[in-house]
Amino acid sequence: MAEGGVYIISNFYTREATGSLRPTSSKIIINFSNLTTVEKVEKDDFMIPMNKFEFVDLGDLFDMASNYENPDSPPFSTDIIGVLEDFERVKPIQTMYGERNIVKFRITDGRYSHKVSVWGQLAVTITHVHEKIVERPIMAIVTSSKLKIFKSSVQISTLPSSKIYLNLDNDYVNAYKSRLEEEGYKVSENVVGSPTHVPLTPPVIQTITLSELSEKTNTDDLKMLTTAHTALHRQLNQQFPDLLSPALQK
């Protein structure tokens, strides 16, 4: 059997679904037996969609992950959709399981944003796919992901069963993109910066000796000194208020 094919399956049995990180919310699973037969349908006349997702809104992920009885082994994996931002190329890192490839990015719906970690061969594949995409924004679908709360934030990680689709051409993705455009979403640039800091320029203080001051008998000179003193006092009070005593700040 190959993914994307259509098959007629006969003589199987079902049982209650158990285990953790199950990819669908179905309460039953299909089991094959020695009597099971599989027949491929060459011509698809059944109008079966190629993809089926069970999306969870990004705004609901925190509550969902917080309510897991066993955070390390939740009952279901999660499908999410959003805009891919701040993509970091694949790189190898050391883990408790040895060296593994990882890709990191953020996924957002314009209101909520969460970090995503992609592991293993999928990290390599998604890097190659991302490099070829020109259209922006990039709509990302991550299937069968694992949620975890870390430092009061949702962390999303891929599993061996995970798949990632970028700019998938289907009705749901197109409708999602249209909603973002209507709400005025703008593509985020991955720019790291710090707030602009404009240093205060210390005032230039002109010194004068007592002898020189005694010689300033001209009225214009006295007016100039008074004006300069007032301007200097105002500038000091505005830029360095802690340097002046309350009496001098009047």
Side-chain angles (χ1 to χ4, degrees), residues 202-240:
V204 178
I205 301 176
Q206 182 178 359
T207 60
I208 186 170
T209 66
L210 290 176
S211 176
E212 291 173 335
L213 180 60
S214 64
E215 296 175 359
K216 297 291 185 180
T217 57
N218 185 283
T219 303
D220 291 336
D221 289 337
L222 293 176
K223 287 182 178 179
M224 180 183 67
L225 287 172
T226 302
T227 302
H229 175 270
T230 303
L232 175 60
H233 186 277
R234 185 181 299 112
Q235 187 174 7
L236 284 170
N237 191 30
Q238 291 176 348
Q239 297 188 3
F240 306 98

